[in-house]
């Protein structure tokens, strides 16, 4: 079992107090424990600003890019270990784990190439110089330079690898130190990746800090040169925006939050057309991949009313091939949702949607996962619903069930009709 620690002030330290236990979502076996009680967040942020920031700002873009490239290589050397850990802590199949872990390494490599292309500069010229007077004596030139603050990056549970490093990479390239805080439930994967990078001695002291567990009063210590990057629910984002740092001290904040994505099948697409098969594959991939726990996943599917039977037949045939169970088994194609609270939310969400839609397959009932002892695991059946009326199905248009759940919404007429319905979300 891992004992998650926080990387603060250039060393690994443990918080005091009763730790929180983290579990494998397929077996519910405890795999890690963590706490942040007693950590000095003000000191951590000061260390990042005073030590990590100047070190990164002294480097050229090319040198910062080289750091990112070295980070990607260090992680790649431990790729198999990271894929296994992803399965254990996130309930991801090997394919889904590759999606996350390889996505992280690929993002680091992509920004490394950008750094190499930017070369030996430390700032960027923004636009052309402007004359500020009638003569040529006074001109103005916008220049982009690193902010002398720290980026606090708060990430979602569903992509503990990719979600973390897609934020770290541009911050480092811009010369800004990072304090990263993954969602606690799936933090073991992020922890191990940060630990690998620290052990490889790639980064200057203070450039990267890691927190596993509650944020406590972390955000209370941010100032006008600091930044918050958040991925998660819109409700949580609203709470963070109401904090004193954002309201009173002009802390910049960027949010990636909920969405209710849709797919539209055009009226002129017939069964067995190549577009039909692409449509079915896209819907099924988003239902199965990461157990539907993607902010980009298709939730609402608008289909011509005269194609309902054909679409249902095609989707149900594909759904019958999904094997739900322990994602460490080769025959399993979809693992559990990540946490007990996610399981509860999915079941409640399916029941909520079922007030305005009929369940055609799956549902909210408990599911026995393949290869798992009875009653264990946070498994949800892949679920297909059919809305009774697309225009008035306000629950479908306003509630995202973050799991393997798709609702079909029949429409009449041309694609423009479907476009208007999509906009209800």
């Amino acid at each position: 079992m891992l004992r998650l620690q926080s990387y603060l002030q250039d060393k690994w330290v443990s918080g005091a107090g009763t730790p929180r236990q983290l579990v494998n979502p397929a077996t519910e076996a405890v795999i890690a424990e963590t706490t942040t009680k007693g950590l000095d967040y003000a000191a951590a942020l000061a260390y990042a600003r005073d030590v990590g920031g100047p070190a990164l700002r002294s480097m050229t873009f090319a040198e910062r890019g080289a750091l990112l490239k070295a980070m990607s290589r260090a992680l790649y050397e431990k790729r198999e270990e990271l894929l296994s850990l992803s399965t254990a802590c996130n309930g991801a199949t090997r394919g889904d784990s590759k999606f996350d872990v390889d996505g992280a390494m690929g993002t680091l490599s992509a920004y490394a190439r950008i750094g190499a292309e930017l070369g030996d500069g430390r700032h960027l010229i923004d636009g052309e110089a402007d004359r500020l007077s009638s003569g040529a004596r006074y001109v103005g030139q916008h220049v982009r330079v690193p902010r002398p603050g720290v980026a606090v990056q708060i990430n979602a549970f569903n992509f503990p690898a990719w979600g973390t490093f897609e934020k770290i990479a541009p911050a480092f390239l811009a010369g800004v130190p990072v304090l990263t805080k993954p969602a606690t439930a799936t933090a073991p994967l992020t922890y191990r990746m940060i630990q690998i990078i620290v052990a490889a001695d790639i980064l200057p002291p203070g450039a990267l800090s890691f927190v596993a567990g509650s944020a406590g009063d972390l955000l209370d210590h941010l100032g006008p040169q600091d930044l918050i990057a958040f991925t998660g629910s819109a409700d949580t984002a609203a709470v963070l925006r109401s904090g004193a740092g954002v309201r009173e001290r002009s802390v910049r904040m960027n949010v990636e939050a909920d969405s209710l994505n849709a797919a539209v099948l055009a009226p002129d697409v017939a069964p067995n057309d190549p577009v039909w098969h692409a449509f079915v594959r896209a819907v099924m991939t988003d239902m199965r991949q990461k157990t539907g726990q993607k902010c980009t996943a298709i939730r609402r599917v608008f289909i011509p009313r005269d194609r309902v039977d054909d679409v249902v037949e095609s989707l149900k045939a594909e759904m019958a091939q999904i094997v739900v169970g322990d994602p460490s088994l080769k025959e399993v194609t979809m693992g559990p949702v990540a946490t007990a609270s996610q399981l509860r939310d999915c079941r409640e969400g399916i029941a909520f949607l079922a007030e305005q839609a009929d369940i055609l397959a799956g549902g909210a009932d408990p599911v026995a996962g393949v290869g798992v002892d009875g009653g264990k695991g946070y498994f949800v059946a892949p679920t297909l619903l059919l809305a009774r009326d697309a225009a008035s199905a306000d629950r479908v248009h306003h509630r995202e069930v973050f799991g393997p759940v798709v609702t079909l919404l029949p429409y009449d007429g041309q694609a423009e009709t479907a476009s208007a319905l999509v906009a209800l979300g």
Side-chain angles (χ1 to χ4, degrees):
M1 181 177 68
L2 291 173
R3 168 67 179 178
L4 298 199
Q5 300 170 304
S6 298
Y7 181 64
L8 301 172
Q9 300 192 18
D10 206 29
K11 61 184 178 181
W12 291 93
V13 297
S14 295
T18 303
R20 173 181 169 181
Q21 292 187 330
L22 310 182
V23 303
N24 181 321
T27 65
E28 299 184 50
V30 176
I31 61 172
E33 57 182 25
T34 183
T35 181
T36 60
K37 186 176 180 180
L39 294 181
D40 188 341
Y41 285 122
L45 294 169
Y47 185 71
R49 294 189 199 100
D50 299 341
V51 179
L56 287 172
R57 292 194 295 272
S58 71
M59 296 179 174
T60 65
F61 289 117
E63 289 171 335
R64 296 171 199 162
L67 294 182
L68 299 177
K69 185 175 182 179
M71 291 165 65
S72 181
R73 286 179 171 175
L75 294 174
Y76 185 78
E77 290 178 2
K78 304 291 186 180
R79 180 174 180 266
E80 286 301 320
E81 176 192 347
L82 295 174
L83 293 177
S84 296
L85 184 54
S86 171
T87 295
C89 77
N90 205 30
T93 63
R94 181 175 175 84
D96 291 348
S97 295
K98 290 179 181 179
F99 189 48
D100 189 18
V101 173
D102 291 350
M105 294 184 291
T107 297
L108 288 170
S109 295
Y111 278 96
R113 289 192 293 272
I114 294 174
E117 293 169 0
L118 291 174
D120 294 331
R122 294 180 177 83
H123 64 271
L124 296 176
I125 301 298
D126 187 6
E128 301 295 328
D130 296 314
R131 290 174 60 175
L132 302 181
S133 67
S134 58
R137 188 165 190 165
Y138 296 104
V139 297
Q141 175 69 65
H142 287 105
V143 179
R144 297 187 182 188
V145 297
R147 296 175 68 84
V150 57
V152 174
Q153 299 176 347
I154 304 170
N155 298 299
F157 71 88
N158 53 333
F159 283 94
W162 198 346
T164 296
F165 287 94
E166 71 178 1
K167 291 185 178 69
I168 289 175
F172 279 1
L173 191 56
V176 178
V178 170
L179 189 153
T180 185
K181 199 208 90 62
T184 306
T186 55
L189 177 58
T190 315
Y191 161 81
R192 181 60 183 136
M193 297 177 85
I194 300 295
Q195 191 181 47
I196 289 167
I197 291 168
V198 171
D201 196 23
I202 295 167
L203 300 174
L208 179 60
S209 300
F210 168 85
V211 173
S214 170
D217 65 350
L218 170 63
L219 303 185
D220 295 340
H221 303 289
L222 297 181
Q225 293 297 326
D226 300 321
L227 312 96
I228 301 170
F230 171 78
T231 300
S233 73
D235 290 341
T236 302
V239 172
L240 297 181
R241 284 195 182 99
S242 68
V246 176
R247 287 186 294 105
E248 302 171 10
R249 297 190 293 276
S250 301
V251 175
R252 292 192 178 188
M253 182 172 177
N254 185 71
V255 171
E256 179 192 359
D258 306 349
S259 59
L260 258 173
N261 301 309
V264 178
L265 183 67
D268 60 345
V269 179
N272 297 321
D273 285 351
V275 173
W276 180 280
H277 296 302
F279 159 79
V280 171
R281 284 195 304 271
V283 173
M284 293 312 303
T285 294
D286 278 2
M287 175 182 281
R288 177 199 55 75
Q289 192 173 57
K290 299 287 288 185
T291 317
Q293 297 168 114
K294 300 189 302 179
C295 59
T296 56
I298 297 168
R299 309 295 182 190
R300 299 175 297 153
V301 179
F302 295 89
I303 56 177
R305 193 171 301 278
D306 62 356
R307 297 293 191 197
V308 169
D309 291 342
D310 293 325
V311 169
V312 170
E313 181 181 358
S314 294
L315 292 179
K316 289 178 73 172
E318 293 295 322
M319 291 174 65
Q321 305 303 311
I322 296 176
V323 179
V324 179
D326 184 344
S328 66
L329 302 177
K330 289 184 178 180
E331 64 268 28
V332 168
T333 58
M334 192 178 85
V337 292
T339 67
S341 62
Q342 278 299 115
L343 175 64
R344 182 170 57 252
D345 288 349
C346 278
R347 288 176 173 170
E348 291 176 355
I350 292 170
F352 182 80
L353 297 184
E355 292 294 322
Q356 296 179 339
D358 297 319
I359 297 175
L360 304 181
D365 293 335
V367 176
V370 172
V372 179
D373 292 338
K376 295 290 186 180
Y378 308 139
F379 297 106
V380 178
T383 299
L384 182 67
L385 300 100
L386 177 65
R388 300 183 189 110
D389 181 77
S392 62
D394 58 292
R395 295 191 175 198
V396 179
H397 297 304
H398 292 93
R399 172 73 175 268
E400 181 184 26
V401 181
F402 208 64
V405 180
V406 168
T407 303
L408 303 178
L409 297 109
Y411 71 91
D412 299 298
Q414 299 303 307
E416 289 78 6
T417 303
S419 297
L421 293 170
V422 170
L424 295 175

